[in-house]
């Protein structure tokens, strides 16, 4: 749990101090809102603490989950197509890659 706190503090610091982060105000307000609904958090609530493990038992299930992850930025309205989101393995120019099975 300590690692989670350290990582979230670093990420929040990067959001707060990065002058190029255009979504800074929106994200920090959202994290503040979630903190206000949870007594454990005073300023920001960054992580979602639910645990719903899913067994990845076949290539089809794995691909279903990869497609779900790729479509998260589309559902959030950030991009119109998964491959347009730079930090997605769906984007050919992304530094993130998914190894083929």
């Amino acid at each position: 749990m300590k690692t989670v706190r350290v990582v979230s503090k670093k990420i929040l610091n990067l959001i707060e101090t990065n002058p190029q982060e255009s979504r800074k105000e929106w994200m920090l307000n959202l994290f503040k809102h979630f903190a206000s609904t949870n007594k454990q958090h005073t300023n920001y609530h960054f992580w979602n603490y639910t645990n719903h493990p899913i067994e990845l038992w076949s290539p089809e299930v794995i691909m279903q989950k990869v497609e779900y992850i790729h479509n998260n930025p589309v559902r959030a309205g950030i991009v119109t197509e998964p491959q347009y989101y730079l930090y997605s393995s769906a984007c050919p120019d992304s530094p993130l890659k998914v190894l083929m099975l």
Side-chain angles (χ1 to χ4, degrees):
M1 193 59 136
K2 182 180 178 185
T3 303
V4 170
R5 284 191 295 261
V6 171
V7 171
S8 63
K9 285 182 181 183
K10 286 184 179 183
I11 292 171
L12 287 166
N13 184 2
L14 289 170
I15 292 170
E16 290 174 324
T17 60
N18 183 351
Q20 296 178 330
E21 179 52 73
S22 62
R23 302 160 298 168
K24 179 188 314 189
E25 184 178 324
W26 169 78
M27 286 191 289
L28 293 177
N29 283 334
L30 191 63
F31 299 146
K32 281 181 186 179
H33 167 74
F34 290 131
S36 70
T37 64
N38 189 328
K39 294 180 182 178
Q40 287 181 308
H41 305 282
T42 55
N43 296 325
Y44 300 113
H45 183 172
F46 186 78
W47 299 109
N48 186 1
Y49 293 112
T50 60
N51 183 9
H52 301 286
I54 298 169
E55 184 178 357
L56 302 175
W57 55 273
S58 73
E60 291 81 17
V61 172
I62 293 170
M63 285 311 300
Q64 178 189 34
K65 301 312 172 195
V66 168
E67 288 178 23
Y68 173 83
I69 292 168
H70 284 169
N71 282 300
N72 278 337
V74 177
R75 281 190 294 279
I78 298 170
V79 293
T80 57
E81 297 292 329
Q83 63 271 21
Y84 296 156
Y85 190 64
L86 178 62
Y87 297 106
S88 168
S89 57
C91 175
D93 298 327
S94 175
L96 306 174
K97 302 295 177 202
V98 174
L99 299 176
M100 298 309 289
L101 298 177

